[in-house]
Amino acid sequence: MTAKPGRRCASCAPVSCGVRCRELHAGEERPTPSPTAAPERRPFSRVTPEDMAFFSKIIPGRTITDPDILEASNMDWLKSVRGFSEVLLRPQTTEEVSQILGYCNSRNLAVSPQGGNTGLVGGSVPVYDEIILSTALMNNILNFDSVSGILSCQAGCVLESLSLYLEDKDYIMPLDLGAKGSCHIGGNVATNAGGLRLLRYGSLRGTVLGLEVVLADGRVLDCLATLRKDNTGYDLKQLFIGSEGTLGVITAVTILCPRKPKAVNVAFLGCESFEQLLQTFQLCRGMLGEILSAFEFLDRECMRLLNTHLKLANPITDCPFYIVIETSGSNPTHDEEKLHQFLEEAMTSSQVIDGTVATEEAKIKALWSLRERVTEALTHDGFTYKYDISLPVERIYQLVTDMREHLGDRAKSVVGYGHVGDGNLHLNITSPTKDPNLLASIEPFVYEWTARFQGSISAEHGLGLKKRNYIYYSKASLAVALMGNIKIMLDPKGILNPYKTLPDDLQ
């Protein structure tokens, strides 16, 4: 696929230049990313009574047109993106998904796959009148092998439900998210969700062993392997992990689950500077080693919002930075001893100025809520501009500081929190109401800053609708062009989640 006129780089691939090649070719025409608003509606067919009759025959009683039900499915969790779909389909089986997509492809009807609708970049809701294909009723656990720890389930299983199921069998899910009570495992995989346990158990690209995916034309791709090692040809499942429903609809997942730890401890600590926080992280990795399962941070502004909007009390002395450390292991005495030695060293060296430790479940949940509920607190502070950035660890908080200086008093709040162990910053900026002038000050400043330090503009949330046109700040032109080629190969009519993930020049 070629670029639009006037956007071709003479020395690079025939697509829009990214920030990296713009640096190489200073003086050439410099393309400006399009606004985050959706492009014009593409020439997809519109739903007819005949289409409705077909859907009602395939999934009787599960073809929804009730405006009240559709309202919730058309709106994203942040209430920042709203679609106009008039049809919500709720299949229960892979075969039903296959029939639906095969029909939609033949009719050129666009489809918006939807799981728990907890995404933060507008990727899980329609933009125009795309048919919403919900996996909510595809919520069966297919199999669990208690020897290998491999779980097979349908894509619509809620993450928290899977966690509760596994706990009874002395296992846990390898990922944990603040939205675990609503998000679906299929959506987690489709967005390559990171979460709070990535430091210990790695990303879904490593723990997902197999997928079942329905392609745009209705064909079912069965890669639902239960093997940890399989080196026969290309690893096709990786194409769909993080593809945000643009290449196929994930209908089932096999995932490797770790054993439930016998001992869990959580420490909530305070630091005077981010430099001290990083020193604490280094000390922590060295002294806690194999039992370290999470190292999260939030700043003083986050704590203020938690206290103001959710009435959550700070359990320690007021500090510029706070850390949540979790350890998990098999020997309570051993783990508590290692944690005690670490805390003693951190306090003695003045890296940490105050802290508290929890070993009981109720107190552990209370301390974790100070990290997990920051997003909720932000929703009460005003309209929120959210940025999910990956950076070299030493640069993480510098972006927050520079953004505050850049915006001055134009923003109500500028806060930073995230996963230090993964180099993942959640930068959030609030204003009393939606403010186009403020957005113009934030973007592309935030993306240019991130690219300058070789970061990623999306660490774990994906690109969705909101960030699709900024992909060139993190990916080379040729890489994006190849993504477009893969999209054309698997979905030549472009019916799956249109206007998402790929930039407008490849839509």
Side-chain angles (χ1 to χ4, degrees):
M1 179 176 290
T2 56
K4 294 181 179 180
R7 300 192 67 181
R8 181 174 298 186
C9 170
S11 305
C12 298
V15 293
S16 299
C17 292
V19 69
R20 300 191 195 284
C21 71
R22 289 207 302 272
E23 291 170 352
L24 289 172
H25 310 304
E28 296 181 12
E29 185 175 358
R30 300 165 64 93
T32 302
S34 301
T36 55
E40 292 184 5
R41 184 186 184 278
R42 293 177 57 194
F44 296 112
S45 300
R46 298 186 186 275
V47 176
T48 65
E50 291 75 20
D51 299 328
M52 294 300 298
F54 178 85
F55 297 139
S56 297
K57 181 180 179 181
I58 292 178
I59 50 172
R62 290 175 279 127
T63 299
I64 312 299
T65 57
D66 184 325
D68 292 333
I69 298 176
L70 279 161
E71 179 65 24
S73 297
N74 270 306
M75 185 75 73
D76 76 325
W77 182 78
L78 291 173
K79 294 181 170 54
S80 62
V81 178
R82 183 181 185 278
F84 302 94
S85 178
E86 297 180 348
V87 184
L88 167 64
L89 304 180
R90 290 177 171 169
Q92 291 179 320
T93 67
T94 299
E95 176 57 29
E96 289 175 349
V97 175
S98 174
Q99 291 184 62
I100 290 167
L101 288 188
Y103 180 83
C104 289
N105 190 62
S106 68
R107 282 274 297 117
N108 198 33
L109 291 166
V111 177
S112 177
Q114 187 175 94
N117 196 16
T118 58
L120 300 174
V121 290
S124 59
V125 292
V127 176
Y128 294 105
D129 56 347
E130 301 92 275
I131 294 169
I132 301 172
L133 180 63
S134 170
T135 59
L137 300 183
M138 302 182 70
N139 55 7
N140 292 318
I141 293 172
L142 305 176
N143 184 59
F144 178 68
D145 186 330
S146 59
V147 176
S148 65
I150 297 172
L151 172 74
S152 300
C153 63
Q154 286 185 297
C157 290
V158 174
L159 179 58
E160 188 170 48
S161 298
L162 293 177
S163 296
L164 293 172
Y165 170 85
L166 289 170
E167 280 188 20
D168 289 339
K169 301 182 181 302
D170 211 27
Y171 280 83
I172 62 172
M173 288 295 287
L175 75 160
D176 186 24
L177 308 171
K180 58 192 170 188
S182 303
C183 64
H184 295 182
I185 187 63
N188 297 152
V189 174
T191 56
N192 191 26
L196 306 171
R197 291 177 178 163
L198 191 142
L199 177 64
R200 176 68 174 270
Y201 301 115
S203 77
L204 289 174
R205 293 196 180 277
T207 55
V208 170
L209 301 180
L211 294 177
E212 179 184 73
V213 182
V214 180
L215 303 179
D217 60 5
R219 289 179 296 167
V220 179
L221 178 64
D222 184 359
C223 293
L224 206 60
T226 56
L227 302 173
R228 294 189 67 178
K229 299 179 77 173
D230 179 8
N231 204 20
T232 52
Y234 304 128
D235 190 2
L236 294 178
K237 71 176 182 292
Q238 296 295 345
L239 280 177
F240 302 95
I241 299 174
S243 66
E244 302 185 75
T246 61
L247 301 180
V249 176
I250 295 171
T251 52
V253 178
T254 55
I255 189 166
L256 181 64
C257 304
R259 290 298 298 266
K260 180 181 178 180
K262 291 182 170 58
V264 176
N265 301 286
V266 172
F268 190 82
L269 312 176
C271 296
E272 282 286 0
S273 68
F274 197 74
E275 183 180 359
Q276 289 180 342
L277 185 150
L278 292 179
Q279 291 171 356
T280 304
F281 176 54
Q282 289 180 295
L283 181 68
C284 182
R285 294 186 74 179
M287 296 190 68
L288 297 182
E290 78 286 351
I291 66 170
L292 178 63
S293 55
F295 193 103
E296 304 285 306
F297 92 97
L298 57 149
D299 63 13
R300 176 181 275 153
E301 279 293 286
C302 290
M303 184 62 74
R304 180 183 64 81
L305 296 180
L306 289 165
N307 180 256
T308 300
H309 299 301
L310 304 182
K311 308 305 178 187
L312 296 180
N314 184 352
I316 63 174
T317 305
D318 178 58
C319 300
F321 296 95
Y322 302 92
I323 306 169
V324 181
I325 295 173
E326 182 186 79
T327 66
S328 54
S330 59
N331 187 322
T333 302
H334 168 266
D335 294 359
E336 287 178 16
E337 182 180 346
K338 291 191 76 168
L339 182 59
H340 176 75
Q341 291 174 350
F342 157 71
L343 292 173
E344 186 174 42
E345 177 65 24
M347 297 288 282
T348 302
S349 62
S350 299
Q351 292 174 3
V352 171
I353 58 176
D354 196 11
T356 184
V357 176
T359 56
E360 302 83 18
E361 186 174 355
K363 190 176 179 184
I364 286 174
K365 287 183 177 180
L367 291 182
W368 263 120
S369 69
L370 294 170
R371 165 61 182 86
E372 291 181 326
R373 298 185 69 186
V374 174
T375 300
E376 181 185 350
L378 283 159
T379 63
H380 297 284
D381 199 54
F383 189 89
T384 307
Y385 299 91
K386 306 184 76 67
Y387 299 93
D388 164 48
I389 305 296
S390 183
L391 287 163
V393 177
E394 67 276 8
R395 297 284 185 184
I396 288 179
Y397 203 74
Q398 184 183 339
L399 174 55
V400 182
T401 303
D402 288 357
M403 183 61 76
R404 283 181 182 147
E405 182 179 346
H406 174 68
L407 295 179
D409 59 4
R410 287 174 287 177
K412 183 178 180 183
S413 301
V414 178
V415 309
Y417 63 99
H419 321 289
V420 175
D422 316 333
N424 184 185
L425 168 71
H426 295 306
L427 169 68
N428 286 252
I429 300 157
T430 67
S431 60
T433 59
K434 190 172 183 179
D435 185 346
N437 292 327
L438 177 61
L439 179 60
S441 297
I442 299 170
E443 300 176 7
F445 175 86
V446 63
Y447 302 127
E448 292 172 346
W449 195 102
T450 301
R452 190 185 319 142
F453 295 107
Q454 291 75 53
S456 170
I457 65 165
S458 180
E460 61 181 4
H461 292 168
L463 296 169
L465 173 71
K466 295 180 179 179
K467 299 183 181 180
R468 69 195 188 283
N469 283 324
Y470 297 110
I471 189 172
Y472 293 107
Y473 284 100
S474 294
K475 288 289 186 290
S477 300
L478 180 57
V480 180
L482 288 173
M483 293 179 198
N485 291 341
I486 293 169
K487 170 70 171 175
I488 291 172
M489 179 184 69
L490 293 177
D491 181 18
K493 293 185 177 180
I495 68 164
L496 288 177
N497 223 9
Y499 323 110
K500 315 287 178 56
T501 307
L502 293 177
D504 290 347
D505 58 353
L506 294 183
Q507 291 283 348

